[in-house]
Each structure stands twice: as structure tokens, then as C-alpha cells.
Amino acid sequence: MSTKLTRRELAKIGLGLGAAAALGRSAFAQAPAFFRIGTGGTAGTYYPVGGLIANAVSNPPQLVLTAQASNGSVANVNSIVSGALESGFTQADVAYWAHTGTGLFEGKGKIEDLRLLANLYPESIHLVAAKSANIKSVADLKGKRVSMDEPGSGTLVDARIILSGWGLKETDVKADFLKPNQAAERMRDGGLDAFFFVGGYPTSAITELAATGGGIDLVPLAGPEADAIRKQYSFFAADDIPAGTYKDVGAVKTLAVGAQWVTSAKVPDAVVYEVVKGLWSDKTRAALDAGHAKGKMIRKENALAGAGIPVHPGAERFYKEAGLLKG
């Protein structure tokens, strides 16, 4: 039996199909976007700051951010490349080397898809020494037991640059490769003279060591040697760690690199736009100010400072709307 449909009935069917298609598109648009942030070791600064940002920016079910502990800068970049992470925190120097295929990434090819979400805060280079070791200068590390941080970390790269700046090679020290919390435990037990850590102050591993160990010194990274390092590597900046940051430790001059939040060009623009918009929201501002000493230093006006890699188009859209980038 055949049924003829009137023009009005056909129009109704067409409207119904159109509404269903629109509903489908809407449902697809509302599908949750998962956005992982690679941070660092649990004793460092990346991990707590990443947790604060993830909690504040998440807007489930549409947008879900999670912070994951990792081996730090280099490991995060590699995980972004492999697709194991959507984003991660990294030092400005590591991001630049990765994108240009130079420095640490020499001979490994350029990671041309690496993109900037935001510059976060300065990361101070800590050279922590046991008071009993009597280390007053980088030159005094010769023959000492020194942890350079673990393989894959940005700290290890910078530690080698610092040694070189004072005329030392890695073989001139008794090098170990431990995470900051492991290095602090080893020093507390008398098995280590010094260790390097790059991160925002105060960091819990050093705070606890200063309070419970036999006393620590922060070795200054200043003078002509530091000036020469800054001239050779433009991503380093002069920095100061204030007196009292760690128990019984006075003010010290050091060097710093920017902590940056990076992602891949493959992550959709719409997702990145929402993430960056969330980062600079009032809700996140309140969480950062209340949650960590370094949170207060994460400022929108510095979001593009020291950008050695291209800004992601989704982030670019937000920064143009905020007046931080010209259209």
C-alpha cells in the first residue's frame, strides 16, 4: 500500500530531521574534552601548581583537566609529542630547545608542533649544600657528592650549564641523579654534599630539609660567571631568593628560567581557548593566590613573556580578546 505525503507533511519531516541533526551536533559539541597536564615530581612546584590549575579550570562534563606527576620538563615535552599528554609544564629553555631541535634536543629533530599556552612564573635555580660541606661557590663542588636531578629533567640540563660556567665538567664531581625529595633525604642522612633543583620557591623538599637536617646553604649563582651564562643563554634571567624563604638561610642571588605551560598544535583550538580562558578567570585567580606562594606570581600580563615558541591559535584568540596580542 503506497502512501502519498502532502507538502506540509514533508516539510514537518524535514524540520524533524533538521532538529535531530542539530541535536546531534549539539550533543557532539558537548562531548567531554579531557586535558591532562604533565607536572613534575610530587616534592616540586609543578605538581601542586598543576593541581590548583586543573581543579580551578575544570568545568565538567564539558572540560575535565587532570594534573599528573611526571619526570619534569623534558619528559612532559616527549609525552606531548607521543600523545600521552595534551599539555605539560616545562622550562622555557627546554621548550625552546625542543622546538628548534637545538641544545638538549640536538640531533633529535625539531618538535615543530610544540605551542605555548602561557608563561607562568620564574623558576629559580637552587644549588643546595649541606652546611657541613662548606661549599661557598660552584667551584667548591669539585670532588663533592652532587645530585644533578634525574635524567629527563630540565634541572639536569641547567646543572651541566652551571658547572660549565664555573669551569667544571660532570666528571669533576661525584654525580648522582636523584629527584629533589630523594636528594634531600640522602643529604639528611649524610650521603650527599649538594644538589641542584630548578623550581619556584619555596619547595617542600628543601623547606623540610632546612627545618630538620643539619642546616643548609644556598650557593649563589652570581658574578661574572653567571653574567657570561646569561649572555650565552638568553632564556636565563638574574633572580633573588629572599632571606627567610628557607629556615636560617639568608638572601641569595641566583639565576632563573620561566616555567611555561605548553601543548601541541594538534589539540583543537576550541579546547585550548576554553582552557586559557579558564586559566585567567577570577575563580583560578583566587585559587592561585590562596593555594601556593608561586601562584601569586602567575599573572596575565606576563602570560607571553619569554615566549620562545609559537602561541597556540586557541590561546592566541584569547590573548587578542584580552588585548595582550594585537590582531
Side-chain angles (χ1 to χ4, degrees):
M1 177 179 166
S2 65
T3 304
K4 288 186 177 180
L5 297 171
T6 66
R7 190 173 293 176
R8 183 175 290 177
E9 287 168 330
L10 283 167
K12 281 182 181 176
I13 292 170
L15 283 170
L17 289 171
L23 185 63
R25 284 195 299 274
S26 174
F28 178 76
Q30 296 302 309
F34 294 98
F35 199 81
R36 294 162 292 188
I37 308 170
T39 60
T42 54
T45 309
Y46 281 1
Y47 184 74
V49 169
L52 286 170
I53 290 173
N55 289 337
V57 176
S58 280
N59 184 27
Q62 287 83 16
L63 183 61
V64 179
L65 275 70
T66 56
Q68 297 181 192
S70 77
N71 284 353
S73 294
V74 176
N76 289 340
V77 169
N78 289 333
S79 291
I80 291 168
V81 173
S82 71
L85 291 172
E86 285 73 41
S87 73
F89 293 165
T90 183
Q91 294 167 201
D93 49 356
V94 175
Y96 173 80
W97 286 329
H99 187 258
T100 57
T102 58
L104 182 66
F105 289 80
E106 188 79 52
K108 297 179 182 178
K110 300 176 182 179
I111 302 175
E112 294 181 338
D113 278 346
L114 204 61
R115 295 289 182 271
L116 183 70
L117 293 171
N119 182 61
L120 299 176
Y121 57 83
E123 294 196 83
S124 307
I125 301 180
H126 295 66
L127 176 49
V128 184
K131 202 168 272 295
S132 58
N134 198 33
I135 296 168
K136 304 301 179 189
S137 162
V138 177
D140 296 335
L141 293 177
K142 190 168 185 177
K144 301 287 188 181
R145 301 162 299 174
V146 183
S147 176
M148 311 278 284
D149 212 324
E150 62 187 339
S153 70
T155 300
L156 174 56
V157 185
D158 289 333
R160 287 170 173 155
I161 292 173
I162 300 301
L163 287 181
S164 177
W166 269 263
L168 297 178
K169 302 186 294 293
E170 200 170 307
T171 51
D172 291 327
V173 303
K174 295 172 184 172
D176 214 332
F177 304 93
L178 305 170
K179 289 183 179 182
N181 53 336
Q182 294 170 332
E185 287 170 16
R186 183 78 61 84
M187 184 177 286
R188 190 180 290 114
D189 294 340
L192 201 63
D193 298 309
F195 67 90
F196 285 92
F197 171 75
V198 180
Y201 58 78
T203 187
S204 59
I206 301 173
T207 299
E208 290 168 20
L209 177 65
T212 62
I216 64 165
D217 290 317
L218 288 182
V219 181
L221 304 177
E225 296 90 350
D227 293 342
I229 288 172
R230 284 171 52 210
K231 189 173 180 182
Q232 186 176 356
Y233 301 101
S234 59
F235 42 74
F236 282 121
D239 191 35
D240 295 276
I241 299 175
T245 301
Y246 303 105
K247 186 182 178 185
D248 298 330
V249 178
V252 65
K253 292 189 177 299
T254 186
L255 296 170
V257 294
Q260 298 185 338
W261 190 7
V262 301
T263 187
S264 168
K266 295 184 176 74
V267 177
D269 294 3
V271 173
V272 168
Y273 175 80
E274 291 300 328
V275 167
V276 174
K277 185 179 178 183
L279 171 63
W280 301 117
S281 69
D282 292 342
K283 178 186 174 186
T284 307
R285 174 78 273 141
L288 289 171
D289 285 345
H292 195 279
K294 269 292 175 278
K296 296 181 180 69
M297 302 185 76
I298 300 175
R299 314 299 304 183
K300 186 164 66 176
E301 55 269 27
N302 299 325
L304 301 172
I309 64 172
V311 180
H312 191 288
E316 199 172 63
R317 178 187 155 199
F318 173 83
Y319 291 127
K320 283 178 180 175
E321 291 175 0
L324 294 170
L325 267 180
K326 291 182 180 175

